[in-house]
Amino acid sequence: MKIEQVGVQLYTLREHLETPEDYQETLQKVAEIGYKSVQVAGPRPLSPSEIALLCEEKGLVINATHEDSKLIMENPAKVIENLDEFGCRYASYPWPGDLDFNSEAELFGLIEGLRRCGKSMTDAGKVLTYHNHDIELKNHFGRDPVLEVIYRETEAEELQAEIDTYWVHASDASPEAWCARLRGRLPLLHLKDYAVGQDGEPNFAEVGSGVLDFNAIIAVAEASGCQWFNVEQDTCPGDPFESIEKSFRYIYDNLVER
């Protein structure tokens, strides 16, 4: 993994993206930390083309986005338009909302929607990925976790993966095993560590501050063809800029090629 492949998922900084001025200041801080890339998510007080211009001014590549789940399902043409303006190929389906995975009709309705939208995006030279949480691994359809069903019932040309390391581990599964299982279908990876607090409760943690073996995870992800590695932290113990800098420093010092 090269440092140019490491980005930050802007959802981590969502409270600092509310206004155009916020957005500019946030991107400046991200660039000053040393990141070369971002994944767009969270508030968008600017148009995609305006965000793309700001990123270009700061020397930041937009490697992917999280688009609204409903927009992906109902208006893939708009998603494609957004990606064109952002200047990137990858969009992730971020969250299934209140979908009932115990309902065969709802699960396969989701899968059919992903197939349909993914096909439209592929035809336009774009790629749809699926961002998992723990619910897709804790819920089962028959004997298989829902995430397994989603990828089994779709083709690589329709849907690829954005594995989230924290949520896989939180479901008592192996991030390394899932990265290996999705060889050829894993362009994006979320780097998010898992720690346990003094109260025994799990916490989102800066990369290198928890229990995950990122050397092993990244090695397997690279072997599976991963192109972009995005730091994400759903909640931070204090200033999120301090958290993303801590993650960056660990990655730069311990995980990237020299």
Side-chain angles (χ1 to χ4, degrees):
M1 179 177 70
K2 298 179 180 178
I3 196 63
E4 290 79 12
Q5 293 175 276
V6 178
V8 64
Q9 222 272 14
L10 292 180
Y11 178 77
T12 308
L13 306 169
R14 58 195 177 278
E15 295 178 358
H16 301 270
L17 297 172
E18 296 292 342
T19 69
E21 293 75 20
D22 288 342
Y23 222 102
Q24 179 160 341
E25 291 174 10
T26 291
L27 292 179
Q28 180 65 35
K29 290 180 180 179
V30 167
E32 288 173 354
I33 288 169
Y35 286 98
K36 306 298 184 186
S37 180
V38 296
Q39 181 179 33
V40 173
R44 295 183 189 175
L46 298 161
S47 70
S49 59
E50 289 171 327
I51 293 172
L53 181 59
L54 270 183
C55 285
E56 183 179 2
E57 290 173 355
K58 307 300 182 186
L60 296 165
V61 172
I62 299 174
N63 64 62
T65 75
H66 272 199
E67 298 295 316
D68 180 76
S69 302
K70 185 176 180 181
L71 182 68
I72 289 172
M73 289 297 184
E74 297 182 359
N75 194 355
K78 179 58 177 175
V79 175
I80 293 164
E81 179 185 323
N82 287 347
L83 291 180
D84 281 339
E85 291 189 36
F86 281 126
C88 70
R89 293 183 65 203
Y90 299 105
S92 287
Y93 181 90
W95 172 245
D98 57 359
L99 186 143
D100 181 5
F101 284 137
N102 293 310
S103 165
E104 181 176 359
E106 290 193 35
L107 172 58
F108 280 86
L110 169 68
I111 290 170
E112 179 55 35
L114 292 170
R115 292 185 63 189
R116 182 179 64 254
C117 299
K119 175 71 164 54
S120 296
M121 289 177 61
T122 298
D123 289 346
K126 309 299 183 185
V127 177
L128 178 64
T129 70
Y130 189 93
H131 172 255
N132 70 277
H133 294 78
D134 56 347
I135 56 173
E136 293 90 354
L137 293 163
K138 288 184 173 179
N139 285 274
H140 287 65
F141 180 76
R143 299 179 60 182
D144 297 319
V146 163
L147 196 62
E148 181 73 42
V149 178
I150 288 172
Y151 289 118
R152 186 177 67 219
E153 297 294 326
T154 56
E155 301 294 335
E157 294 77 16
E158 299 164 335
L159 186 69
Q160 299 198 19
E162 179 182 59
I163 288 294
D164 186 296
T165 56
Y166 175 96
W167 288 116
V168 171
H169 183 83
S171 67
D172 296 322
S174 163
E176 295 97 316
W178 270 96
C179 287
R181 183 177 300 187
L182 290 164
R183 187 181 183 93
R185 294 183 74 169
L186 184 67
L188 308 174
L189 187 70
H190 272 183
L191 304 181
K192 185 189 304 181
D193 216 337
Y194 183 103
V196 178
Q198 292 183 347
D199 58 0
E201 293 298 315
N203 295 316
F204 301 106
E206 294 82 3
V207 176
S209 299
V211 302
L212 299 187
D213 183 350
F214 281 101
N215 279 295
I217 292 170
I218 289 168
V220 177
E222 286 192 300
S224 291
C226 189
Q227 298 179 36
W228 296 104
F229 302 82
N230 287 309
V231 171
E232 183 187 36
Q233 197 166 334
D234 298 34
T235 59
C236 302
D239 184 346
F241 292 101
E242 292 180 4
S243 286
I244 68 167
E245 183 168 11
K246 185 175 181 180
S247 289
F248 181 84
R249 292 262 61 89
Y250 181 85
I251 292 167
Y252 186 84
D253 291 340
N254 297 279
L255 301 177
V256 297
E257 297 176 13
R258 297 297 185 189

